[in-house]
Amino acid sequence: MTLNVLFAAQSDLWADYEAPLAAALAEAGLDARLDLSIPAAEVDYIIYSPDSELQDFAPYRRAKAVLNLWAGVEKTVGNPTLVIPFARMVDPAMTTSMTEWVCGHVLRYHLGMDADIVNPDRTWGPRVPPLAAERRVCVLGLGELGTAATQKLAQFGFSVSGWSRSPKRIDGVTCHHGPDGFSRALGSAEIFVTLLPDTPATENLLDTAAFAQMPRGAFLINPGRGPLIDDDALLAALDSGQLAGATLDVFRTEPLPKDHPFWAHPRVTVTPHIAAATRPATASRVIADNIFRSEAGDPLLHRVDTTRGY
């Protein structure tokens, strides 16, 4: 039987995805019709991005799954018409990209590279950088991306801790969990990386009280979600010296407005949501694998728990 697979992401992505998706579906042994327009009553699977024009899933009664092209699902989980199984994107290339970006910025702060990169007075200031084993790094959020980041940081030799809502075990990483563990995690490091999902429970999780629990002079790196951070509290912590610097890749409003104070703050580095992008070739194989699993009666990989929001 031919499967009808609707591509319901932004139409400008079609040129990037059409060939890789067709190849991945064929490679998985799936007989599939892949198109931008298929009558709702005939659709078996929906390949989706939250900025799609498709926002009403009710007509898609035959559909077996909605397969997200984004890692983030916060824009979709609250949709009351979404009663179809929903899977987020966990793309191995995206994980690699995120891990490389995180390690690059951790190493930048660890080694104090800014003193050499930005040195308008041409000051000759020799110093001995610490070794990784002498630096404590904490990753807040131990999902797929957070776990990969902690493992790679541990391979560099950093003393790595992490925090998650529920208990986790990662070799070489000190794992904290729950409200009490959050306080311990905040006191455990000098460089913090946030890789938590955007849910009601995580909004403004990093606020004035949280920053006060971090060691004075700590650094913050946020490639996770913009709403995790109270922007005004972060600016105040930077101005007071409680935090020494922040690198931010995600924001409440994107693109970041040109008049936002993050742009002008001397201790903030803004990057334009580039830490981890979905790659069509590898993402297509993830999509095809999930369709194959569904057709075989196996559970979807990375299925979203809409009650938890991730």
Side-chain angles (χ1 to χ4, degrees):
M1 181 186 74
T2 299
L3 299 172
N4 292 316
V5 181
L6 175 66
F7 188 84
Q10 285 288 329
S11 58
D12 59 356
L13 295 177
W14 179 242
D16 295 328
Y17 275 94
E18 182 182 10
L21 279 168
L25 291 165
E27 188 177 306
L30 297 165
D31 178 10
R33 169 195 175 197
L34 176 67
D35 209 331
L36 285 164
S37 179
I38 300 173
E42 299 176 13
V43 171
D44 295 297
Y45 294 94
I46 302 172
I47 299 172
Y48 189 70
S49 66
D51 57 358
S52 167
E53 293 181 3
L54 194 167
Q55 296 297 320
D56 182 5
F57 295 95
Y60 296 88
R61 298 184 182 89
R62 170 170 152 173
K64 302 171 187 177
V66 176
L67 306 170
N68 210 32
L69 287 177
W70 295 8
V73 297
E74 64 274 5
K75 296 182 182 297
T76 308
V77 290
N79 188 326
T81 69
L82 180 62
V83 296
I84 311 164
F86 181 38
R88 61 191 173 90
M89 173 55 64
V90 178
D91 172 8
M94 179 191 293
T95 301
T96 299
S97 173
M98 176 65 81
T99 301
E100 292 175 355
W101 187 95
V102 165
C103 289
H105 286 280
V106 167
L107 286 166
R108 166 198 166 193
Y109 285 136
H110 164 62
L111 296 173
M113 290 180 175
D114 287 14
D116 301 315
I117 295 169
V118 183
N119 187 7
D121 298 328
R122 303 178 185 179
T123 302
W124 184 266
R127 64 190 185 281
V128 178
L131 298 175
E134 300 169 318
R135 181 78 69 188
R136 299 174 299 157
V137 182
C138 180
V139 177
L140 303 173
L142 298 176
E144 296 277 349
L145 296 175
T147 295
T150 62
Q151 291 172 330
K152 186 61 70 174
L153 289 166
Q155 288 176 12
F156 274 105
F158 288 108
S159 174
V160 184
S161 60
W163 178 82
S164 56
R165 191 177 80 162
S166 56
K168 296 286 180 71
R169 289 178 60 88
I170 303 171
D171 289 344
V173 177
T174 300
C175 296
H176 305 283
H177 71 276
D180 292 340
F182 185 62
S183 293
R184 289 194 294 272
L186 292 177
S188 72
E190 299 143 295
I191 301 174
F192 292 86
V193 180
T194 57
L195 283 168
L196 290 157
D198 178 10
T199 70
T202 62
E203 185 172 4
N204 291 327
L205 186 67
L206 295 177
D207 57 10
T208 299
F211 294 136
Q213 294 180 71
M214 294 178 178
R216 186 169 178 82
F219 294 92
L220 177 67
I221 300 170
N222 184 26
R225 291 289 177 263
L228 301 175
I229 294 175
D230 180 326
D231 290 1
D232 292 337
L234 174 57
L235 289 166
L238 290 165
D239 289 340
S240 72
Q242 175 60 21
L243 293 187
T247 293
L248 310 174
D249 186 57
V250 288
F251 307 91
R252 292 174 181 274
T253 302
E254 295 186 4
L256 185 67
K258 292 187 177 182
D259 60 353
H260 196 287
F262 284 157
W263 284 112
H265 200 287
R267 295 181 178 177
V268 175
T269 297
V270 170
T271 63
H273 204 144
I274 57 171
T278 306
R279 315 290 171 127
T282 48
S284 293
R285 290 194 285 271
V286 173
I287 294 288
D289 185 27
N290 246 348
I291 293 176
F292 182 87
R293 290 176 62 87
S294 177
E295 289 301 299
D298 295 328
L300 291 173
L301 296 173
H302 319 303
R303 182 169 175 175
V304 175
D305 182 342
T306 55
T307 62
R308 296 172 68 179
Y310 58 93

